[in-house]
Amino acid sequence: MAQEIFTTSLFDDANLISYYRFEGNSNDAKDGNNGTDTAVTYNSTNAQFNQNALSNGTSSLIDLGSGSNLNITGDVTIGGWVYITTSDTSINGIIGKGDNVSPFEQYGLYEQNGTCAMRVRNSVDTLFESTRASAGIN
């Protein structure tokens, strides 16, 4: 089994803002940006480590609140293991921060048509989108 970041020196890196292990909840193991679950279940099926968070595909949500350390103004990296079982033409959010209220400062990872991409929208509503990488659909 792969070594979990929780047991490495990277976990102590001052630049790591949050780390969600999804071990039965959406608590932040790094900095207390705990999530509030809506229609999310946890089990070990297809888990990268011990457990995972499962979306129902329609109304599942983990709200991370508005912790000030989540307001990123510089470089951002979002990492995780995502197991996609279905896909459609909708933009399906995986993880993100922001809302549709001006200024639109947002960032997130999403899936659409079986591919994943990173999107960032700045305070003057300019959208930056990564080149899409192939994502396996099982």
Side-chain angles (χ1 to χ4, degrees):
M1 179 181 287
Q3 185 177 18
E4 185 178 356
I5 193 173
F6 192 68
T7 62
T8 71
S9 61
L10 183 59
F11 184 79
D12 294 322
D13 186 321
N15 293 313
L16 179 65
I17 294 171
S18 292
Y19 178 50
Y20 299 93
R21 299 176 69 222
F22 299 121
E23 296 290 325
N25 59 49
S26 57
N27 290 345
D28 178 7
K30 176 67 176 180
D31 203 21
N33 292 306
N34 295 339
T36 302
D37 301 345
T38 301
V40 175
T41 57
Y42 297 89
N43 71 28
S44 59
T45 304
N46 302 315
Q48 179 68 23
F49 295 108
N50 295 322
Q51 289 192 6
N52 59 14
L54 299 172
S55 165
N56 64 15
T58 55
S59 62
S60 294
L61 171 71
I62 299 174
D63 184 342
L64 301 180
S66 58
S68 62
N69 63 345
L70 296 175
N71 297 328
I72 299 171
T73 58
D75 296 338
V76 60
T77 300
I78 297 174
W81 293 271
V82 180
Y83 183 72
I84 300 169
T85 58
T86 61
S87 181
D88 59 36
T89 59
S90 301
I91 294 175
N92 302 296
I94 297 170
I95 187 168
K97 171 76 168 88
D99 55 37
N100 289 320
V101 178
S102 183
F104 296 100
E105 295 173 306
Q106 305 169 340
Y107 59 88
L109 181 66
Y110 73 96
E111 177 276 333
Q112 183 179 28
N113 293 323
T115 58
C116 289
M118 176 81 176
R119 298 182 103 186
V120 177
R121 185 179 304 269
N122 67 16
S123 62
V124 293
D125 201 24
T126 302
L127 178 65
F128 303 91
E129 187 170 38
S130 69
T131 304
R132 293 176 180 219
S134 177
I137 305 297
N138 295 315

